[in-house]
Amino acid sequence: MKKFDLIMENWRGFKSLLNEKGTKPHQYPETFEKLRQEVAEEAQANKLYIFLDTETTGLDPQKRYSQITQIAAIKVNPHGFQEDTEIEIVDVFNKKVKLKEETIRQIENELENEQFWHSEPQKEKRLKKWQEEEPKRQEEFEDIEAINRQETEESGQQYDPKSYTPQEHSESYTFRSILDNLKMTEYAPPDKLNPQGLRNLDPNEYLELKDALEQFVQFCSGDSVLIKPKLMAQNADFDIKYIENNAAREGIQTPDEYVFDSLQIFRDYLIPVIQQFKQKYESFESLPEEEKKILTSEPLTQEEKNLLNSLTLESFTTKTVTKVRKDTGKTVKIKTKVLSPKLSASLGKITAAFKIKNDKWHDALADVDMLAQSLKQVMLFLDKRPEMADIIYQRVVNERPEDIELEKQKAEFNKTVQPTKFVKGTYNRETGEGEYTEEYKDWLKTKERISPPRRGKPSTISENKIRIKIRR
């Protein structure tokens, strides 16, 4: 239930209460109070909500071997989003999908590449390169150490030589393969998590991709012609692009519906409230100690503090600063990491903040259940803060013809599959380079010309659904 407005194109659903097809997508209400009223009206009209999620082999749906490995969804009655009620699950969809031959071949290739990476000749090669770069690293270390000593002495403190140590050679390998993703999502029993075993999965438990998508489309179509269900997903853009792409390859027509993004709902209604908590806390902390003692109470309750801490993500930004060594006059560029905490509306942060059971991450069915529970708890929390109900969320809607045309081109391009990248026999495994095929060059030019959609903007599932362009 995202700020019921970014209703992501073409799978994202909302036509109006009785599914009257309008010329523009219904926008998310400007205030939480209006959102609450909308949910109540939909509950009164017996409109069901469908929470959906997918597990996949990777992050890029345009790769030939990228596919959905699990689709799950639950139908719930929005009456359950009120106080003293339980969320009623009306129906459940949960299917795991057999891997396609392209995916299994890619798994085998990745296993070969990983073995190649860890082979003794490659280890020796990387170590040799590291040793060759040692003089340059040593020079950088001396510059940074001199700058640190200089700044410490200028501040009147004692310099500690252990405050900075040079980087040591490491054999860490952080590449996440498809097989790693399958293990993380518990796609198959451990004894079958190998290319050979994955070819022989139980057909009663793992459907063909086409069959799974067809059944999923049927599940989401609803039982009533007049009252269509409302579709919703966390970070819906990702799931919808995967569904759209996989369905296009299988020749399946996706529904002409919008999908609301709960991530945007949390950002637009919950985060502004937590931001006010943050501002109150920071204002209090900036006061002199004498003034703090005068105040009879702290600005935040314990519950508000817990929410603020749970939804704060400690991220880092890297900055490059230019400094001068006084002893040599040399100009030195130093990269520094700066802590820049920010508020996060991710499902993991939301479940932690509202103490929702989340012991089975990366299972699509568990994720949709957590999402429904999270949405309810966020709404109940906001119900208790009527002073926040009139916060207005504004968006700029732009419908210039050139924007609409560009969105159509993006929608069409998202259905294409990346062609073979290298001319056969030209790929060098050691350098990772080779001669591009003409098809790949043309595909790449199109991709560079069409920029990716901005965060928070609807994405399409069918060509004729692009209507709006939304900016923060």
Side-chain angles (χ1 to χ4, degrees):
M1 314 183 112
K2 184 172 184 177
K3 196 183 173 186
F4 293 6
D5 138 35
L6 235 208
I7 319 178
M8 299 197 160
E9 288 292 357
N10 236 273
W11 240 82
R12 315 190 148 200
F14 206 39
K15 305 285 190 257
S16 83
L17 192 60
L18 295 179
N19 197 39
E20 297 170 355
K21 189 168 183 179
T23 57
K24 293 183 181 178
H26 179 81
Q27 292 189 347
Y28 298 91
E30 339 178 282
T31 66
F32 173 71
E33 186 177 15
K34 291 182 180 180
L35 169 66
R36 210 13 147 172
Q37 181 181 357
E38 190 170 272
V39 174
E41 290 174 352
E42 291 168 341
Q44 185 68 26
N46 295 319
K47 187 182 188 77
L48 296 179
Y49 287 6
I50 295 181
F51 294 90
L52 62 95
D53 187 42
T54 62
E55 298 297 341
T56 66
T57 55
L59 299 179
D60 186 355
Q62 290 185 340
K63 300 284 188 185
R64 285 178 174 274
Y65 48 81
S66 293
Q67 70 162 88
I68 293 170
T69 56
Q70 182 186 10
I71 312 179
I74 55 174
K75 288 182 182 178
V76 304
N77 190 319
H79 283 292
F81 295 136
Q82 300 291 336
E83 187 79 58
D84 300 324
T85 60
E86 294 292 331
I87 292 180
E88 177 190 356
I89 299 179
V90 178
D91 200 358
V92 177
F93 182 92
N94 183 27
K95 302 295 181 183
K96 288 195 174 183
V97 181
K98 292 181 68 174
L99 298 183
K100 299 178 74 67
E101 284 301 316
E102 297 94 326
T103 307
I104 292 180
R105 282 198 296 271
Q106 179 63 20
I107 292 175
E108 293 169 341
N109 290 338
E110 288 177 351
L111 289 173
E112 290 179 5
N113 289 338
E114 187 170 9
Q115 292 170 358
F116 175 77
W117 175 270
H118 289 298
S119 64
E120 288 304 319
Q122 286 301 306
K123 287 183 179 180
E124 293 175 4
K125 181 180 178 180
R126 292 194 295 277
L127 181 59
K128 182 179 179 181
K129 184 177 180 181
W130 175 270
Q131 292 170 342
E132 290 173 350
E133 295 173 349
E134 179 62 27
K136 182 181 177 181
R137 277 197 309 277
Q138 185 62 31
E139 182 181 352
E140 292 175 350
F141 167 69
E142 292 173 357
D143 287 336
I144 294 174
E145 187 180 36
I147 293 290
N148 287 346
R149 183 185 297 275
Q150 170 185 309
E151 292 180 344
T152 304
E153 293 174 350
E154 287 176 354
S155 65
Q157 300 177 1
Q158 184 70 28
Y159 176 70
D160 180 8
K162 296 180 181 180
S163 62
Y164 180 78
T165 55
Q167 182 184 6
E168 296 182 357
H169 177 57
S170 171
E171 274 295 326
S172 62
Y173 184 64
T174 58
F175 171 72
R176 178 173 288 282
S177 66
I178 293 177
L179 207 54
D180 292 330
N181 290 332
L182 297 180
K183 290 177 182 178
M184 179 180 67
T185 59
E186 297 183 0
Y187 172 75
D191 60 336
K192 288 190 176 181
L193 277 173
N194 60 76
Q196 291 72 33
L198 292 174
R199 292 178 186 273
N200 302 298
L201 294 172
D202 186 349
N204 295 322
E205 297 182 30
Y206 297 82
L207 297 182
E208 296 292 343
L209 179 59
K210 184 175 183 179
D211 295 337
L213 286 170
E214 287 177 343
Q215 292 182 29
F216 180 66
V217 168
Q218 181 62 33
F219 179 86
C220 293
S221 63
D223 301 322
S224 170
V225 176
L226 293 178
I227 304 178
K228 293 287 186 180
K230 175 177 284 187
L231 307 180
M232 196 169 308
Q234 176 78 354
N235 192 17
D237 200 28
F238 175 82
D239 297 290
I240 296 316
K241 283 183 179 177
Y242 248 102
I243 292 171
E244 173 190 42
N245 189 284
N246 280 210
R249 295 183 198 177
E250 299 297 327
I252 297 173
Q253 179 64 43
T254 52
D256 187 17
E257 298 290 338
Y258 294 103
V259 176
F260 294 92
D261 193 343
S262 55
L263 176 63
Q264 195 67 36
I265 293 176
F266 296 147
R267 283 175 178 165
D268 289 345
Y269 299 113
L270 175 65
I271 294 302
V273 175
I274 306 302
Q275 184 66 42
Q276 292 195 14
F277 294 169
K278 183 179 180 181
Q279 290 169 356
K280 285 183 182 179
Y281 180 75
E282 290 176 346
S283 298
F284 175 79
E285 288 298 307
S286 64
L287 293 174
E289 290 299 323
E290 297 75 17
E291 294 186 32
K292 287 183 183 179
K293 294 177 182 178
I294 297 175
L295 298 176
T296 57
S297 63
E298 293 190 6
L300 301 182
T301 65
Q302 190 58 48
E303 180 192 21
E304 292 169 345
K305 282 184 182 178
N306 292 340
L307 284 173
L308 177 58
N309 292 334
S310 298
L311 294 174
T312 298
L313 179 65
E314 291 194 351
S315 60
F316 289 87
T317 56
T318 302
K319 294 185 177 180
T320 301
V321 294
T322 302
K323 299 184 178 181
V324 179
R325 286 184 59 172
K326 286 188 175 180
D327 55 348
T328 62
K330 180 180 178 181
T331 300
V332 180
K333 289 186 177 181
I334 300 177
K335 289 184 178 180
T336 59
K337 283 188 176 182
V338 180
L339 179 63
S340 55
K342 61 181 181 181
L343 295 175
S344 171
S346 68
L347 189 57
K349 288 290 186 180
I350 297 291
T351 55
F354 291 93
K355 297 180 173 56
I356 296 167
K357 186 178 180 181
N358 58 359
D359 56 354
K360 199 170 182 182
W361 278 108
H362 303 301
D363 175 83
L365 186 59
D367 287 350
V368 292
D369 181 63
M370 282 188 279
L371 177 54
Q373 297 291 341
S374 298
L375 180 61
K376 175 179 178 177
Q377 293 305 316
V378 167
M379 296 185 75
L380 293 180
F381 167 74
L382 294 174
D383 282 340
K384 298 174 184 177
R385 310 198 69 86
E387 74 278 11
M388 306 294 186
D390 58 350
I391 295 177
I392 303 294
Y393 310 99
Q394 297 179 344
R395 298 175 185 275
V396 177
V397 179
N398 190 337
E399 286 194 319
R400 295 181 303 173
E402 56 268 33
D403 292 332
I404 296 176
E405 179 59 32
L406 181 61
E407 294 301 328
K408 288 182 179 179
Q409 293 178 28
K410 289 179 183 178
E412 191 62 33
F413 180 75
N414 285 340
K415 296 180 182 179
T416 65
V417 178
Q418 178 180 317
T420 304
K421 188 173 183 179
F422 298 112
V423 175
K424 189 173 182 180
T426 65
Y427 177 71
N428 187 319
R429 183 178 289 179
E430 294 187 13
T431 63
E433 298 176 350
E435 181 185 346
Y436 288 163
T437 62
E438 292 301 321
E439 293 81 2
Y440 180 75
K441 290 178 183 178
D442 294 339
W443 181 88
L444 195 59
K445 286 179 182 178
T446 305
K447 184 177 181 179
E448 291 172 349
R449 179 174 60 82
I450 302 177
S451 59
R454 300 186 182 187
R455 186 184 72 178
K457 186 170 99 107
S459 61
T460 183
I461 284 202
S462 65
E463 322 167 297
N464 61 348
K465 289 301 297 183
I466 299 295
R467 295 278 187 246
I468 60 175
K469 185 171 185 178
I470 295 177
R471 295 194 182 93
R472 286 280 187 178

